[in-house]
Amino acid sequence: MWQYPAFAWNKTGHMVSGAIAYSELKQNHQQVIDKIAAILREHPEYSKFEQQWNSLNQSNTSSENKNLYLFMWAAKWPDEARTNQTFNHPTWHYINFPYQPGSSSNSNKREIPGEENIIFAFQKNLDIVQSNASNSEKAVAICWLFHLVGDVHQPLHTTKLITNQYKEPEGDGGGTRFYIRVNPNSQTISLHKFWDDLILGSENFQTVRNTATKIRASYQRSKLPELRETKFNNWAKLESFTIAKQKVYLNGKLSGSSDKNNGKLLPQNYAASAKPIAERQMSLAGYRLADVLAEAVR
């Protein structure tokens, strides 16, 4: 099983999904926000949230803004916890469904029984939130729910490319070994990092909030037929996997390099086409997170 240090969306992308979920719950389920905030205040690393909150400009320190930032923090926390052995679960962030262009099995979405992947992790943490566990345990699990719903909407966290260049079993490691350049003068980065960074690059509270507001306005719930699909498994197996095949790897036609110092140049319109796909995925993540939380935390 491959593992990698890259994030699914960067931390700020996760903060955006948390902010979208907050806005959705604020509209219809204020009591859910209150309950989640109360539980998260018993998180074993809540003091780190307080430190980050206190470092913000004092003009942001209303109680409402503090709860909004708490949602942002919860969504990114599993990435910040990667250096803590107690909380780090690197294999929870993805599932490696293989995509093999040109093969009759190129839609073969294999799962390994007992594998601790993103689908396993989502159900495990949902069970904890709905159990009689302590609020401290529930707080950690809630953060994982925030994060995993974001992760599963990044197409390269559901897919590995298998070709003669990227062989089984690792393939291209969810795009982490598939090296590209955005334009001729750009430095080489992985395809995975390119998709991670499409939403936002700043953790500034106001910038994250504004980005979430813009995405939510651009992709309104009523205009997203995908929301009829409510099963986490299918968000991974059907939606994100299909986007990876068709839009990320361009049905196997996207060229990449295995040389981390000399990436292949992306097609001319690739970046412009990818941005709205990422924003739509982020809006789905935010809406679905709100729905998951409203159902799980009553």
Side-chain angles (χ1 to χ4, degrees), residues 210-276:
N210 291 347
T211 301
T213 300
K214 179 182 176 181
I215 289 176
R216 187 165 171 252
S218 300
Y219 300 91
Q220 297 173 24
R221 178 185 279 269
S222 61
K223 297 179 181 178
L224 295 171
E226 299 97 315
L227 291 173
R228 288 195 291 266
E229 177 56 72
T230 60
K231 293 183 179 178
F232 187 92
N233 293 23
N234 288 337
W235 303 342
K237 293 180 182 180
L238 302 181
E239 290 183 5
S240 285
F241 183 72
T242 298
I243 291 171
K245 288 197 301 180
Q246 297 177 355
K247 305 299 184 181
V248 177
Y249 293 115
L250 304 181
N251 293 311
K253 296 178 181 178
L254 184 67
S255 295
S257 171
S258 53
D259 181 354
K260 64 182 179 180
N261 297 311
N262 188 25
K264 291 274 189 179
L265 186 64
L266 286 177
Q268 187 172 2
N269 295 322
Y270 187 92
S273 299
K275 179 77 168 179

Side-chain angles (χ1 to χ4, degrees), residues 64-75:
E64 179 176 342
N65 280 345
K66 187 170 185 178
N67 279 346
L68 171 56
Y69 189 69
L70 185 56
F71 270 55
M72 295 178 185
W73 177 82

